[in-house]
Amino acid sequence: MEIITDPASMQKLSKSLLSAGETIGLVPTMGYLHEGHISLIKKARKDCSMVIVSIFINPIQFGPGEDYGTYPRDTQRDRSMAEKAGADYIFKPSVKDMYPDKFSTFVEVVGLDSIMCGAMRPGHFRGVCTVVIKLFNIIYPDRAYFGLKDYQQYLIIKKMVKDLELPVKVIGCPIVREKDGLAMSSRNKHLSASERKSASILYKNLLLAKEKINNGENNLIKLKKICEENIKASADVLKVDYFDFRESETLEEIGTLKPEAGKKQIKKLLIAGAVRVGKTRLIDNLILNISNF
Ligand code: AMP
Protein backbone atom coordinates (compact mmCIF):
# COMPACT_ATOMS: atom_id res chain seq x y z
CA MET A 1 0.00 0.00 0.00
CA GLU A 2 1.36 3.33 -1.10
CA ILE A 3 1.25 6.64 0.80
CA ILE A 4 0.75 9.60 -1.50
CA THR A 5 1.51 13.04 -0.15
CA ASP A 6 1.33 15.32 -3.17
CA PRO A 7 -2.20 16.50 -4.14
CA ALA A 8 -1.31 16.76 -7.85
CA SER A 9 0.02 13.17 -7.91
CA MET A 10 -3.07 11.95 -6.07
CA GLN A 11 -5.32 13.72 -8.58
CA LYS A 12 -3.42 12.17 -11.48
CA LEU A 13 -3.61 8.70 -9.95
CA SER A 14 -7.35 9.02 -9.23
CA LYS A 15 -8.02 10.14 -12.81
CA SER A 16 -6.17 7.11 -14.15
CA LEU A 17 -8.00 4.76 -11.75
CA LEU A 18 -11.35 6.15 -12.91
CA SER A 19 -10.46 5.88 -16.57
CA ALA A 20 -9.48 2.25 -15.97
CA GLY A 21 -13.06 1.70 -14.73
CA GLU A 22 -12.35 1.52 -11.00
CA THR A 23 -14.83 2.81 -8.41
CA ILE A 24 -13.18 4.89 -5.72
CA GLY A 25 -14.24 4.82 -2.09
CA LEU A 26 -12.82 7.58 0.12
CA VAL A 27 -12.53 7.39 3.91
CA PRO A 28 -11.52 10.83 5.23
CA THR A 29 -9.82 10.71 8.65
CA MET A 30 -7.51 12.68 10.87
CA GLY A 31 -5.50 9.54 11.60
CA TYR A 32 -4.63 7.74 14.82
CA LEU A 33 -6.92 5.03 13.51
CA HIS A 34 -9.17 2.86 15.66
CA GLU A 35 -11.92 0.30 15.05
CA GLY A 36 -14.40 3.06 14.16
CA HIS A 37 -12.22 4.12 11.21
CA ILE A 38 -11.55 0.48 10.34
CA SER A 39 -15.29 -0.20 10.04
CA LEU A 40 -15.51 2.60 7.46
CA ILE A 41 -12.54 1.21 5.51
CA LYS A 42 -14.05 -2.28 5.53
CA LYS A 43 -17.40 -0.97 4.31
CA ALA A 44 -15.64 0.92 1.52
CA ARG A 45 -13.69 -2.25 0.69
CA LYS A 46 -16.97 -4.15 0.22
CA ASP A 47 -18.54 -1.47 -1.99
CA CYS A 48 -15.66 -0.19 -4.12
CA SER A 49 -12.81 -1.57 -6.20
CA MET A 50 -10.34 1.03 -4.86
CA VAL A 51 -10.19 2.33 -1.30
CA ILE A 52 -8.35 5.53 -0.44
CA VAL A 53 -7.94 6.62 3.17
CA SER A 54 -7.02 10.24 3.70
CA ILE A 55 -5.14 11.23 6.83
CA PHE A 56 -5.03 14.93 7.45
CA ILE A 57 -5.28 16.82 10.72
CA ASN A 58 -7.07 19.80 9.30
CA PRO A 59 -5.88 22.95 11.10
CA ILE A 60 -8.75 25.13 9.89
CA GLN A 61 -11.38 23.07 11.69
CA PHE A 62 -9.74 23.67 15.08
CA GLY A 63 -10.49 26.84 17.01
CA PRO A 64 -7.99 28.83 19.05
CA GLY A 65 -7.13 26.93 22.26
CA GLU A 66 -8.41 23.61 20.84
CA ASP A 67 -6.29 20.47 20.56
CA TYR A 68 -4.71 20.84 17.10
CA GLY A 69 -1.19 20.71 18.55
CA THR A 70 -1.81 17.70 20.77
CA TYR A 71 -4.06 15.68 18.45
CA PRO A 72 -2.60 12.14 18.48
CA ARG A 73 -0.42 11.17 15.53
CA ASP A 74 1.15 7.82 14.53
CA THR A 75 1.69 7.29 10.81
CA GLN A 76 3.35 3.86 11.08
CA ARG A 77 0.49 2.47 13.13
CA ASP A 78 -2.10 4.06 10.79
CA ARG A 79 -0.35 2.61 7.79
CA SER A 80 -0.40 -0.98 9.02
CA MET A 81 -3.99 -0.72 10.31
CA ALA A 82 -5.28 0.78 7.04
CA GLU A 83 -3.43 -1.81 4.99
CA LYS A 84 -4.75 -4.68 7.10
CA ALA A 85 -8.31 -3.35 6.71
CA GLY A 86 -7.91 -3.41 2.93
CA ALA A 87 -7.04 0.17 1.91
CA ASP A 88 -5.25 0.54 -1.44
CA TYR A 89 -3.75 3.99 -0.86
CA ILE A 90 -3.29 6.52 1.91
CA PHE A 91 -3.43 10.17 0.95
CA LYS A 92 -1.52 12.17 3.54
CA PRO A 93 -0.90 15.72 2.35
CA SER A 94 1.01 18.43 4.21
CA VAL A 95 -0.74 21.49 5.61
CA LYS A 96 1.30 23.65 3.25
CA ASP A 97 0.12 21.72 0.20
CA MET A 98 -3.53 21.85 1.28
CA TYR A 99 -3.43 25.50 2.36
CA PRO A 100 -0.69 27.32 0.50
CA ASP A 101 0.00 30.96 1.32
CA LYS A 102 -2.91 33.23 0.44
CA PHE A 103 -5.45 30.39 0.49
CA SER A 104 -8.77 32.24 0.82
CA THR A 105 -11.71 30.08 -0.33
CA PHE A 106 -14.08 28.43 2.15
CA VAL A 107 -17.33 26.46 1.99
CA GLU A 108 -20.11 26.96 4.52
CA VAL A 109 -23.41 25.15 5.02
CA VAL A 110 -25.28 28.00 6.62
CA GLY A 111 -27.74 27.19 9.42
CA LEU A 112 -26.92 23.59 10.24
CA ASP A 113 -23.41 24.73 11.10
CA SER A 114 -24.33 27.16 13.87
CA ILE A 115 -26.08 24.85 16.36
CA MET A 116 -24.86 22.02 18.62
CA CYS A 117 -21.12 21.48 17.95
CA GLY A 118 -21.18 24.47 15.59
CA ALA A 119 -22.37 26.78 18.38
CA MET A 120 -19.57 25.59 20.67
CA ARG A 121 -16.90 25.54 17.94
CA PRO A 122 -17.45 28.54 15.65
CA GLY A 123 -15.92 27.98 12.20
CA HIS A 124 -15.45 24.24 12.82
CA PHE A 125 -17.83 23.03 10.11
CA ARG A 126 -16.60 25.64 7.64
CA GLY A 127 -13.17 24.06 8.09
CA VAL A 128 -14.61 20.56 7.73
CA CYS A 129 -16.59 21.39 4.56
CA THR A 130 -13.64 23.15 2.99
CA VAL A 131 -11.26 20.24 3.52
CA VAL A 132 -13.83 17.64 2.46
CA ILE A 133 -14.60 19.42 -0.81
CA LYS A 134 -10.86 19.74 -1.44
CA LEU A 135 -10.44 16.00 -0.82
CA PHE A 136 -13.33 15.31 -3.22
CA ASN A 137 -11.65 17.48 -5.87
CA ILE A 138 -8.32 15.72 -5.41
CA ILE A 139 -9.56 12.13 -5.16
CA TYR A 140 -12.81 12.10 -7.21
CA PRO A 141 -14.46 9.46 -5.03
CA ASP A 142 -17.62 7.73 -6.20
CA ARG A 143 -18.47 7.14 -2.57
CA ALA A 144 -17.31 8.78 0.65
CA TYR A 145 -17.70 7.14 4.05
CA PHE A 146 -18.47 9.07 7.23
CA GLY A 147 -19.19 7.83 10.76
CA LEU A 148 -22.53 8.61 12.38
CA LYS A 149 -20.62 9.40 15.56
CA ASP A 150 -20.11 12.83 14.01
CA TYR A 151 -23.78 12.96 13.07
CA GLN A 152 -24.00 16.72 12.55
CA GLN A 153 -20.92 16.55 10.32
CA TYR A 154 -22.54 13.74 8.29
CA LEU A 155 -25.72 15.79 7.77
CA ILE A 156 -23.74 18.89 6.82
CA ILE A 157 -21.61 17.00 4.29
CA LYS A 158 -24.75 15.45 2.78
CA LYS A 159 -26.29 18.94 2.47
CA MET A 160 -23.13 20.35 0.90
CA VAL A 161 -23.05 17.50 -1.63
CA LYS A 162 -26.72 18.06 -2.49
CA ASP A 163 -26.56 21.86 -2.66
CA LEU A 164 -23.40 21.91 -4.77
CA GLU A 165 -24.38 18.91 -6.98
CA LEU A 166 -21.18 17.08 -6.08
CA PRO A 167 -21.01 13.71 -7.85
CA VAL A 168 -20.31 11.71 -4.67
CA LYS A 169 -22.50 9.32 -2.72
CA VAL A 170 -22.20 10.01 1.01
CA ILE A 171 -22.49 6.87 3.15
CA GLY A 172 -23.13 7.05 6.91
CA CYS A 173 -21.70 4.19 8.98
CA PRO A 174 -22.77 3.03 12.48
CA ILE A 175 -20.94 4.09 15.64
CA VAL A 176 -18.36 1.61 16.91
CA ARG A 177 -18.11 1.47 20.71
CA GLU A 178 -15.87 0.19 23.47
CA LYS A 179 -17.25 -2.56 25.76
CA ASP A 180 -18.68 -0.03 28.24
CA GLY A 181 -20.42 1.88 25.44
CA LEU A 182 -17.93 4.72 25.03
CA ALA A 183 -17.84 5.72 21.34
CA MET A 184 -14.37 5.06 19.94
CA SER A 185 -12.41 8.21 19.24
CA SER A 186 -8.77 9.10 18.65
CA ARG A 187 -9.18 11.60 21.49
CA ASN A 188 -9.93 8.80 24.02
CA LYS A 189 -6.16 8.29 24.18
CA HIS A 190 -5.91 11.49 26.21
CA LEU A 191 -8.24 10.27 28.98
CA SER A 192 -6.58 9.43 32.31
CA ALA A 193 -7.62 6.16 34.00
CA SER A 194 -10.19 7.95 36.14
CA GLU A 195 -11.47 10.04 33.21
CA ARG A 196 -11.77 6.90 31.09
CA LYS A 197 -14.05 5.41 33.75
CA SER A 198 -16.30 8.48 33.69
CA ALA A 199 -16.32 8.85 29.92
CA SER A 200 -19.15 6.38 29.28
CA ILE A 201 -21.54 8.60 31.29
CA LEU A 202 -22.65 10.35 28.07
CA TYR A 203 -23.68 7.10 26.38
CA LYS A 204 -25.32 5.87 29.59
CA ASN A 205 -27.51 8.96 29.58
CA LEU A 206 -28.34 8.60 25.90
CA LEU A 207 -29.57 5.11 26.81
CA LEU A 208 -31.42 6.43 29.85
CA ALA A 209 -33.22 9.01 27.70
CA LYS A 210 -34.11 6.32 25.20
CA GLU A 211 -35.47 4.06 27.92
CA LYS A 212 -37.56 6.85 29.49
CA ILE A 213 -39.01 7.77 26.10
CA ASN A 214 -39.76 4.13 25.35
CA ASN A 215 -41.56 3.99 28.71
CA GLY A 216 -43.79 6.89 27.72
CA GLU A 217 -41.91 10.04 28.79
CA ASN A 218 -42.71 12.77 26.31
CA ASN A 219 -41.45 15.85 28.14
CA LEU A 220 -38.01 16.22 26.57
CA ILE A 221 -37.25 19.51 28.31
CA LYS A 222 -37.53 17.69 31.64
CA LEU A 223 -35.54 14.74 30.33
CA LYS A 224 -32.79 17.02 29.01
CA LYS A 225 -32.42 18.54 32.47
CA ILE A 226 -32.26 15.15 34.18
CA CYS A 227 -29.59 13.84 31.80
CA GLU A 228 -27.51 17.03 31.99
CA GLU A 229 -27.59 16.87 35.79
CA ASN A 230 -26.60 13.18 35.79
CA ILE A 231 -23.66 13.86 33.50
CA LYS A 232 -22.52 16.96 35.41
CA ALA A 233 -22.55 14.98 38.66
CA SER A 234 -20.10 12.44 37.29
CA ALA A 235 -16.45 12.64 38.37
CA ASP A 236 -14.10 14.38 35.92
CA VAL A 237 -16.91 15.94 33.85
CA LEU A 238 -16.01 19.61 33.59
CA LYS A 239 -18.82 20.73 31.32
CA VAL A 240 -21.81 19.57 29.31
CA ASP A 241 -21.59 21.48 26.03
CA TYR A 242 -25.07 20.28 25.10
CA PHE A 243 -27.48 17.38 25.48
CA ASP A 244 -30.17 17.84 22.86
CA PHE A 245 -33.26 16.22 21.44
CA ARG A 246 -33.67 17.09 17.75
CA GLU A 247 -35.48 15.96 14.63
CA SER A 248 -32.93 13.76 12.89
CA GLU A 249 -32.90 15.47 9.46
CA THR A 250 -33.64 19.16 10.13
CA LEU A 251 -32.02 19.24 13.60
CA GLU A 252 -35.02 21.24 14.83
CA GLU A 253 -35.06 21.13 18.64
CA ILE A 254 -37.92 19.03 20.04
CA GLY A 255 -39.38 19.81 23.46
CA THR A 256 -42.24 17.34 23.55
CA LEU A 257 -43.28 14.13 21.87
CA LYS A 258 -46.93 14.77 22.74
CA PRO A 259 -48.92 15.05 19.51
CA GLU A 260 -49.61 18.78 19.01
CA ALA A 261 -52.50 20.21 17.02
CA GLY A 262 -51.38 21.26 13.52
CA LYS A 263 -47.93 19.72 13.98
CA LYS A 264 -46.69 16.60 12.24
CA GLN A 265 -45.34 13.94 14.57
CA ILE A 266 -41.62 13.43 13.96
CA LYS A 267 -40.45 9.97 12.92
CA LYS A 268 -36.85 9.91 14.05
CA LEU A 269 -35.46 11.64 17.09
CA LEU A 270 -31.76 12.42 17.42
CA ILE A 271 -30.45 12.46 20.98
CA ALA A 272 -26.98 13.98 20.88
CA GLY A 273 -24.50 15.26 23.41
CA ALA A 274 -21.05 16.74 23.83
CA VAL A 275 -19.19 16.74 27.13
CA ARG A 276 -15.78 17.74 28.41
CA VAL A 277 -14.15 15.00 30.46
CA GLY A 278 -10.98 16.54 31.84
CA LYS A 279 -9.48 18.35 28.88
CA THR A 280 -11.02 15.96 26.36
CA ARG A 281 -14.17 16.80 24.42
CA LEU A 282 -16.34 13.77 23.66
CA ILE A 283 -19.44 13.55 21.45
CA ASP A 284 -22.01 10.83 20.99
CA ASN A 285 -25.57 10.32 19.83
CA LEU A 286 -28.29 7.86 19.10
CA ILE A 287 -31.31 7.91 16.84
CA LEU A 288 -34.64 6.76 18.14
CA ASN A 289 -37.41 5.58 15.89
CA ILE A 290 -40.57 7.06 17.35
CA SER A 291 -43.05 6.11 14.67
CA ASN A 292 -44.89 3.93 17.21
CA PHE A 293 -45.85 6.87 19.43
P1 AMP B 1 -11.78 11.48 12.66
O1 AMP B 1 -10.48 10.84 12.32
O2 AMP B 1 -12.12 11.48 14.11
O3 AMP B 1 -11.97 12.80 11.97
O4 AMP B 1 -12.89 10.53 12.03
C1 AMP B 1 -12.86 10.14 10.69
C2 AMP B 1 -14.14 9.45 10.34
O5 AMP B 1 -14.32 8.30 11.18
C3 AMP B 1 -15.38 10.35 10.58
O6 AMP B 1 -16.31 10.14 9.53
C4 AMP B 1 -15.90 9.85 11.89
O7 AMP B 1 -17.29 10.05 12.05
C5 AMP B 1 -15.58 8.37 11.81
N1 AMP B 1 -15.54 7.80 13.15
C6 AMP B 1 -14.81 8.25 14.20
N2 AMP B 1 -15.08 7.51 15.30
C7 AMP B 1 -16.00 6.58 14.94
C8 AMP B 1 -16.68 5.54 15.63
N3 AMP B 1 -16.49 5.30 16.92
N4 AMP B 1 -17.56 4.79 14.93
C9 AMP B 1 -17.78 5.03 13.61
N5 AMP B 1 -17.18 5.99 12.91
C10 AMP B 1 -16.29 6.77 13.56
Side-chain angles (χ1 to χ4, degrees):
M1 190 194 56
E2 207 181 321
I3 301 190
I4 292 150
T5 56
D6 172 41
S9 310
M10 184 71 249
Q11 212 168 31
K12 207 168 143 203
L13 171 66
S14 282
K15 275 186 188 162
S16 71
L17 292 173
L18 289 176
S19 49
E22 308 282 6
T23 52
I24 300 180
L26 168 65
V27 181
T29 81
M30 297 205 296
Y32 208 75
L33 302 184
H34 52 68
E35 286 305 315
H37 299 115
I38 298 305
S39 71
L40 270 54
I41 300 173
K42 287 189 173 160
K43 171 85 175 108
R45 180 72 285 161
K46 272 199 193 132
D47 297 349
C48 308
S49 64
M50 279 290 153
V51 177
I52 302 177
V53 176
S54 64
I55 298 180
F56 182 62
I57 306 177
N58 177 32
I60 68 165
Q61 72 186 62
F62 290 79
E66 289 188 353
D67 58 346
Y68 176 68
T70 55
Y71 198 87
R73 295 155 162 90
D74 190 339
T75 306
Q76 276 321 99
R77 185 171 162 276
D78 288 347
R79 187 198 175 110
S80 67
M81 284 179 76
E83 185 162 28
K84 209 168 140 218
D88 296 295
Y89 296 96
I90 286 179
F91 176 55
K92 191 175 182 302
S94 69
V95 171
K96 229 175 161 16
D97 281 340
M98 289 296 270
Y99 303 115
D101 288 348
K102 303 203 173 87
F103 181 91
S104 62
T105 306
F106 299 88
V107 179
E108 269 181 45
V109 174
V110 175
L112 283 182
D113 70 348
S114 56
I115 53 174
M116 300 163 71
C117 286
M120 310 310 299
R121 305 182 70 190
H124 169 68
F125 288 115
R126 176 189 196 246
V128 169
C129 288
T130 303
V131 80
V132 168
I133 204 164
K134 277 188 70 103
L135 291 170
F136 287 177
N137 285 332
I138 293 167
I139 295 173
Y140 308 119
D142 296 286
R143 292 162 168 255
Y145 295 81
F146 293 88
L148 296 178
K149 182 177 85 92
D150 298 84
Y151 184 79
Q152 187 177 9
Q153 167 176 285
Y154 162 73
L155 275 192
I156 286 175
I157 300 290
K158 271 210 316 192
K159 185 76 167 59
M160 174 182 82
V161 162
K162 184 166 183 267
D163 285 355
L164 298 181
E165 318 271 359
L166 304 176
V168 184
K169 191 160 193 276
V170 174
I171 320 275
C173 304
I175 302 174
V176 178
R177 301 179 178 283
E178 302 284 358
K179 276 206 184 82
D180 66 346
L182 174 65
M184 289 196 181
S185 163
S186 307
R187 289 188 167 102
N188 293 352
K189 173 188 157 56
H190 291 312
L191 296 168
S192 68
S194 134
E195 289 165 358
R196 173 64 190 81
K197 269 195 193 154
S198 307
S200 62
I201 190 69
L202 174 55
Y203 183 57
K204 287 193 179 116
N205 277 273
L206 293 173
L207 291 181
L208 176 73
K210 176 181 167 178
E211 187 192 313
K212 294 243 183 214
I213 291 168
N214 282 337
N215 289 335
E217 179 62 80
N218 52 32
N219 184 344
L220 302 184
I221 297 171
K222 188 173 114 195
L223 202 45
K224 177 182 165 96
K225 235 178 146 192
I226 293 172
C227 293
E228 280 179 352
E229 291 306 321
N230 285 342
I231 297 170
K232 267 187 218 157
S234 180
D236 299 307
V237 171
L238 295 191
K239 191 167 174 261
V240 180
D241 275 358
Y242 63 84
F243 190 97
D244 285 1
F245 296 87
R246 294 180 179 263
E247 198 287 320
S248 70
E249 294 291 318
T250 61
L251 298 187
E252 180 200 347
E253 223 172 341
I254 306 293
T256 178
L257 290 173
K258 230 187 213 159
E260 289 179 294
K263 267 203 157 183
K264 245 189 163 177
Q265 177 64 290
I266 64 160
K267 291 202 173 76
K268 282 185 174 178
L269 181 71
L270 169 74
I271 316 176
V275 300
R276 315 239 174 192
V277 178
K279 281 190 184 145
T280 308
R281 186 174 188 274
L282 303 174
I283 60 171
D284 201 351
N285 70 81
L286 59 81
I287 289 177
L288 197 51
N289 203 328
I290 54 162
S291 49
N292 299 333
F293 281 72

